[in-house]
Amino acid sequence: MSLEMGGVMLGMREAVIVLIALVALYMVFVLLRMRHLRGTAEQKLEKASVETKPAESFADEAPEISLPASAPEPWPPASPSLADAALQQGLEQEVAQLREELDSIRGELAALREDMLNELAHLRATQSVSPIYGDAMQMAAAGYEPAMIADRCGIARAEAELVVALAKSQER
């Protein structure tokens, strides 16, 4: 891909070189601008340090401000019982909220405990069954017919029907 301009062929290589040169010129411009800004900031800082006076001289010149003796207090002081009542009310609200959260956590814990006990009972039941009947139970839970379970597992059809009935009772 190339471009002809005024009898000069400009290719991709020349375009990249021109872009690099433009970026370099921009960087030089930014650096010069930053240097100029740093110089003006240093000059302002020097002027400010020359113009400042020591803190002791300000203390000598500061006028004293006094409040008139007849000025009333803008706010009456709060009674200690009002503060105690507000604190007690806030604490009671916090305790009530914590009790509600504790009750909900106890309910969730009871539900999790019940689920865990059901899973444990199911696990114990499957471990005490022979592997053939374990496979038959899995097929029955998956919804296979007793005839197919009997053929695949090598058990009698009556046993397969019994396994299907047992799987249905466990689902309930």
Side-chain angles (χ1 to χ4, degrees):
M1 182 176 200
S2 62
L3 177 69
E4 187 173 340
M5 253 178 154
V8 178
M9 290 291 282
L10 295 176
M12 191 63 100
R13 177 192 238 175
E14 288 80 17
V16 170
I17 292 172
V18 168
L19 284 174
I20 291 172
L22 287 174
V23 169
L25 284 173
Y26 178 71
M27 289 175 63
V28 169
F29 172 74
V30 169
L31 287 174
L32 290 175
R33 181 76 177 135
M34 288 173 60
R35 191 172 188 184
H36 175 70
L37 289 174
R38 180 199 268 173
T40 57
E42 288 176 358
Q43 288 174 357
K44 287 180 182 179
L45 185 61
E46 288 175 6
K47 286 182 184 178
S49 65
V50 169
E51 293 175 0
T52 58
K53 294 182 181 179
E56 296 146 1
S57 64
F58 283 123
D60 297 338
E61 298 174 5
E64 290 190 29
I65 300 173
S66 63
L67 295 174
S70 64
E73 286 187 24
W75 297 99
S79 67
S81 63
L82 179 65
D84 290 340
L87 178 64
Q88 184 177 359
Q89 182 181 8
L91 291 174
E92 288 173 354
Q93 287 177 348
E94 263 188 73
V95 167
Q97 182 181 1
L98 289 173
R99 284 183 179 158
E100 289 175 5
E101 290 175 4
L102 183 62
D103 289 341
S104 68
I105 290 173
R106 283 181 180 161
E108 291 174 8
L109 183 62
L112 288 173
R113 183 180 296 132
E114 186 178 332
D115 288 345
M116 182 191 67
L117 291 175
N118 288 338
E119 288 292 324
L120 184 61
H122 181 69
L123 181 65
R124 284 182 183 163
T126 58
Q127 287 179 349
S128 63
V129 175
S130 72
I132 294 173
Y133 289 107
D135 293 341
M137 280 294 286
Q138 287 179 350
M139 291 178 71
Y144 286 97
E145 294 295 320
M148 185 179 286
I149 294 172
D151 288 341
R152 291 222 179 148
C153 294
I155 58 176
R157 183 172 174 129
E159 291 175 324
E161 289 175 359
L162 181 64
V163 168
V164 170
L166 185 62
K168 287 181 181 177
S169 71
Q170 283 185 350
E171 286 179 6
R172 292 184 206 138

